[in-house]
Amino acid sequence: MWGSDLVAKRPEFFQVVKSPFDGTEVVCVKALVPDYAIIHVQEADIYGNCRILGPSYQDALMARAAKKTIVTTERIVGTYRMKEEPKLTAVPHFLVEAVVELPGGAKPGICYPEYQAVEWPKHKAYQKAVKEGQVPQYADSMLEGRL
Amino acid sequence: MDYSKNEMMAIATGREFSDGELAIFGVGLSMLAGFFAQRNHAPNMIAFTEGGVYGSTPVGGLPWGIEDNRISANATSFTNAIDALGMLVASGRVDNAVIGAAQIDKFGNVNTTGIWTEGTQPWKVGKYTLPKVRLNGSGGANEIAVGAKKYIIMAAHEKKRFAEKVDYISSPGYINGGDDRKKYGFPGGGPSAIVTNLGILRPDPVTKEFYLDSYFVFSSVEEIIENTGWDLKVSPNVKMIPEPTEKELENLRAVDETGSLRKK
């Protein structure tokens, strides 16, 4: 990232310092500690243990950085699923504040392998809603008939 | 009642845990003490190991590692040491922990690195040289000592182990006493007790020097002072620690299936 404007223009997050070992310059990045992380997973149990069955991106890291994590999940499963294959438990339950069972919760985006393509018309409607400050109304339309 | 000194030590350590705590245990007897507490009086304790094994309880006796089959058999999550120590412990989330010690000093600093010939300790000569005896290292104890809100140190009470000053600080306690930990910006609060096979030492709230708080039915204030390498202060309220109850022993032995704590 060095050489980009991230380092040059955001000194509140990035600083170049001299390594105390050999004097070479290295980039230091400030730790981010968000109040909340909200992540969507394929499977969670009632305690908050989460199985991420598709790509995990930064979800596991976000859960560790945040003070509290809220999980939405395609489905609630029994804890025996975690015990069967503990390697797939990407977030242990004690990091999780709340679990919400919400099938389709990542739509209009993707939650592999549950739904594997972006629903573009709905995604465009979402973008439009963001631009126009209409996100609550958009959310209402997405949730209609599901709550 | 028939029980060993090590069993008493493990039970006394376990009594330092409360229900609902997020806890991490070092390898060895620490784990038996911790999981005894979970079985006996802290069913909602959440325990993990520095290897990143979460949500498990030992099966088949004392785990010989931090991620072997006895501790992994019923885990709900496996991550890794960087996650367990670098993220979860380092962020200051852990409520309570147990670590072991080969050598320990009056400010609760722990040495698990090496023993040097008198006069050649790194802090005396100002540089690191090879020790006379190489110990098995800090493992995750350094991170736990720095990051846990509080933790208990378990050690065998012998004069040569309880030194005025440790040869080498592997895991810092209160460094040179007082509020020395603040200088280093540690997220954790420091050791709350040293539990040994003879009794319990606790830190003075101001100086942070460990004093004798209590002894067991089979030990005495004199015996503990004799086996401590510094001029041990004794609490004016020094008391005897209650013996294990039948329920405590039963729960400890259920965790310690192979009887590691009963061996001399």
Side-chain angles (χ1 to χ4, degrees):
Chain A
M1 72 182 74
W2 203 358
S4 79
D5 278 349
L6 264 182
V7 178
K9 303 286 194 260
R10 302 299 300 270
E12 66 275 39
F13 292 118
F14 302 94
Q15 287 285 336
V16 177
V17 297
K18 264 201 165 62
S19 160
F21 299 110
D22 59 6
T24 53
E25 293 189 308
V26 291
V27 179
C28 275
V29 184
K30 188 179 189 295
L32 296 180
V33 186
D35 292 329
Y36 287 97
I38 304 176
I39 63 172
H40 184 74
V41 301
Q42 288 85 353
E43 294 180 347
D45 69 10
I46 57 169
Y47 306 105
N49 288 308
C50 297
R51 282 160 56 94
I52 296 183
L53 309 177
S56 55
Y57 298 98
Q58 279 72 253
D59 290 18
L61 271 178
M62 282 160 56
R64 282 149 178 84
K67 291 177 190 156
K68 291 178 177 176
T69 296
I70 297 168
V71 170
T72 59
T73 180
E74 288 293 321
R75 60 192 162 271
I76 304 272
V77 298
T79 306
Y80 74 92
R81 295 281 285 155
M82 283 74 192
K83 291 183 185 267
E84 279 173 356
E85 217 168 342
K87 262 263 171 221
L88 284 180
T89 309
V91 180
H93 68 105
F94 57 84
L95 295 175
V96 176
E97 196 66 14
V99 180
V100 184
E101 189 171 34
L102 193 62
K107 288 183 177 180
I110 297 168
C111 181
Y112 186 89
E114 316 281 333
Y115 32 97
Q116 306 182 11
V118 175
E119 295 173 20
W120 280 112
K122 281 186 179 152
H123 200 280
K124 285 199 172 112
Y126 171 66
Q127 291 173 7
K128 188 161 168 276
V130 170
K131 275 182 199 147
E132 292 169 358
Q134 303 283 310
V135 173
Q137 289 84 343
Y138 169 81
D140 282 349
S141 73
M142 285 294 285
L143 293 172
E144 204 177 330
R146 300 182 53 199
L147 290 178
Chain B
M1 212 180 319
D2 186 33
Y3 58 90
S4 74
K5 290 181 179 182
N6 277 343
E7 285 183 313
M8 181 71 247
M9 170 166 70
I11 287 171
T13 303
R15 287 175 185 162
E16 302 283 318
F17 284 84
S18 313
D19 200 14
E21 284 179 324
L22 176 60
I24 182 165
F25 311 129
V27 70
L29 302 186
S30 311
M31 270 186 193
L32 293 179
F35 285 110
F36 150 72
Q38 187 184 50
R39 189 182 173 94
N40 189 66
H41 58 267
N44 302 304
M45 170 195 283
I46 304 158
F48 65 105
T49 77
E50 64 200 56
V53 177
Y54 305 92
S56 60
T57 47
V59 177
L62 175 70
W64 46 78
I66 43 157
E67 40 196 12
D68 72 82
N69 54 350
R70 283 182 175 173
I71 191 69
S72 315
N74 55 15
T76 52
S77 173
F78 293 161
T79 58
N80 53 61
I82 292 174
D83 182 60
L85 295 171
M87 297 190 196
L88 297 170
V89 177
S91 61
R93 283 181 169 99
V94 171
D95 296 306
N96 208 345
V98 191
I99 66 171
Q103 193 188 34
I104 187 163
D105 69 22
K106 63 178 178 183
F107 293 120
N109 301 305
V110 165
N111 174 17
T112 44
T113 300
I115 301 295
W116 277 260
T117 313
E118 179 52 37
T120 67
Q121 296 97 324
W123 64 269
K124 276 198 179 158
V125 298
K127 68 175 168 64
Y128 184 87
T129 55
L130 287 180
K132 185 177 68 174
V133 181
R134 163 71 67 199
L135 303 173
N136 53 11
S138 144
N142 173 279
E143 283 86 348
I144 294 168
V146 165
K149 285 176 194 157
K150 62 176 180 171
Y151 61 97
I152 293 126
I153 303 164
M154 262 173 107
H157 213 134
E158 298 166 24
K159 195 158 198 159
K160 60 171 186 183
R161 291 173 183 270
F162 280 63
E164 175 77 21
K165 197 168 165 72
V166 286
D167 289 2
Y168 186 97
I169 299 181
S170 316
S171 308
Y174 297 103
I175 328 265
N176 294 308
D179 55 5
D180 236 16
R181 284 179 71 92
K182 283 210 181 103
K183 277 192 218 160
Y184 298 88
F186 294 162
S192 58
I194 302 171
V195 181
T196 79
N197 49 344
L198 298 181
I200 301 180
L201 315 187
R202 296 193 190 275
D204 179 274
V206 179
T207 65
K208 305 295 184 191
E209 184 179 322
F210 277 81
Y211 63 86
L212 179 59
D213 176 79
S214 38
Y215 54 92
F216 298 126
V217 65
F218 49 77
S219 64
S220 66
V221 173
E222 294 69 35
E223 186 186 4
I224 293 171
I225 290 175
E226 224 167 82
N227 283 283
T228 304
W230 72 84
D231 184 13
L232 183 66
K233 297 186 176 80
V234 179
S235 163
N237 306 315
V238 67
K239 53 192 177 292
M240 198 185 83
I241 299 153
E243 288 193 83
T245 63
E246 262 176 47
K247 180 187 158 218
E248 283 177 327
L249 262 186
E250 194 185 309
N251 283 327
L252 178 66
R253 287 174 184 173
V255 176
D256 181 23
E257 268 183 63
T258 51
S260 307
L261 292 165
R262 308 212 78 190
K263 287 173 194 139
K264 298 289 169 201

